[in-house]
Amino acid sequence: MDLWHIIILSILQGLTEFLPISSSAHLILPSQLLGWPDQGLAFDVAVHVGTLAAVVWYFRRDVARLSQAWLTDTYHRRVGEDSGLAWAVIAATIPAGLAGLLLDDMIEAHLRSGLVIAFSTIGFGLVLWWSDAVGRRERELPGLRLKDAVIIGLAQALALIPGTSRSGITMTAALFLGFSRDSAARFSFLISIPLIAAAGLLKVIELINLGEAADWQSIALGAGISFVSAVVCIHLFLKFLERLGLMPYVIYRMLLGVVLLVVLW
């Protein structure tokens, strides 16, 4: 891969993994518009590792606190506020994990087209706007119940449809449930950790089975750039979320979907 390909694709992955604008929609554009070659499985693994490291590092205090509370309270057979949130993260992960195991081959065969990505980018963007418009935004993370986590987890399973945006659909569900934008975003980031880790592990296993030669320089550069861009993305997104709302991302999704339709129709 050329250096500019590595830089641009790594930045795209770092930004779009966590913004509600669909990473699959963006990663299809360079190949469709510029004729870039496929980046390869090893590079996909690298940028997944970079984004996983970014979200774990950014929320390291939360991850450490929730993990310690979960271990302690589970041992003592009790549920506190932090261990309850940890159980909620687990509950929200299960639906998407099961859906991925059961439906990934079908989705790979039938839903990986550019037109599907274009329509889902627009459609789920409108649903995001609706949730932000009608959501009460009164609830915060300490009030999240197991039922809420399961609903958000079921919504997260829809992110298997290319163009949906995992962060976008989970925030949509949380907003419909009455959570504030900040709480919706933070829970979305927390539940991304086990899913990105699982997706990265599957890609590593696939890479080992294929026995592909690895360009370690490109892998290290891709992981580093995606890490930095993801950290910056998370920080700025949370900083300006309440001030800007979600409408800028909705408008962006509409424009992106139209561009994809014009290019691919």
Side-chain angles (χ1 to χ4, degrees):
M1 291 176 63
D2 292 341
L3 178 61
W4 281 110
H5 294 184
I6 296 171
I7 294 172
I8 292 173
L9 290 175
S10 300
I11 292 174
L12 278 176
Q13 175 65 29
L15 295 178
T16 59
E17 183 69 46
F18 300 111
L19 292 180
I21 55 177
S22 172
S23 59
S24 54
H26 287 78
L27 295 178
I28 194 177
L29 283 174
S31 61
Q32 291 290 334
L33 295 180
L34 304 174
W36 289 7
D38 183 83
Q39 61 267 28
L41 184 59
F43 187 79
D44 284 346
V45 171
V47 293
H48 268 81
V49 169
T51 52
L52 174 62
V55 70
V56 170
W57 184 85
Y58 194 89
F59 291 100
R60 60 194 181 278
R61 294 184 182 87
D62 301 83
V63 171
R65 189 184 74 252
L66 296 180
S67 300
Q68 182 179 2
W70 185 82
L71 290 170
T72 301
D73 287 359
T74 300
Y75 177 79
H76 292 288
R77 298 183 181 180
R78 65 192 182 197
V79 178
E81 183 177 300
D82 286 338
S83 59
L85 183 56
W87 278 114
V89 170
I90 295 171
T93 302
I94 292 172
L98 290 176
L101 289 174
L102 296 174
L103 303 175
D104 187 61
D105 290 342
M106 184 196 75
I107 291 171
E108 189 71 34
H110 301 290
L111 296 179
R112 292 292 183 188
S113 74
L115 289 179
V116 169
I117 293 174
F119 283 118
S120 58
T121 297
I122 294 172
F124 285 109
L126 291 173
V127 177
L128 177 64
W129 164 77
W130 183 24
S131 68
D132 196 38
V134 303
R136 300 188 309 276
R137 301 201 292 272
E138 298 170 346
R139 303 176 63 192
E140 302 297 339
L141 272 186
L144 188 140
R145 302 185 297 266
L146 195 60
K147 180 179 70 173
D148 300 318
V150 171
I151 293 171
I152 295 171
L154 290 171
Q156 185 169 228
L158 293 174
L160 290 170
I161 302 172
T164 302
S165 169
R166 191 209 58 80
S167 61
I169 197 64
T170 51
M171 288 185 63
T172 294
L175 289 168
F176 274 131
L177 290 169
F179 286 93
S180 68
R181 290 170 179 153
D182 183 73
S183 290
R186 288 180 181 276
F187 190 65
S188 174
F189 290 140
L190 286 174
I191 63 177
S192 75
I193 294 173
L195 274 186
I196 296 175
L201 179 60
L202 289 175
K203 285 181 178 291
V204 168
I205 294 172
E206 184 180 351
L207 181 64
I208 293 172
N209 290 336
L210 290 175
E212 287 187 5
D215 180 353
W216 292 108
Q217 185 175 0
S218 297
I219 287 174
L221 185 59
I225 294 174
S226 63
F227 171 82
V228 173
S229 61
V231 169
V232 172
C233 168
I234 295 170
H235 177 71
L236 293 179
F237 181 68
L238 290 174
K239 182 177 180 180
F240 293 108
L241 180 58
E242 290 297 337
R243 187 185 308 176
L244 299 177
L246 293 170
M247 183 55 70
Y249 306 102
V250 173
I251 294 172
Y252 181 83
R253 287 183 68 120
M254 299 302 105
L255 295 174
L256 178 62
V258 170
V259 169
L260 286 172
L261 287 175
V262 170
V263 171
L264 300 172
W265 196 272

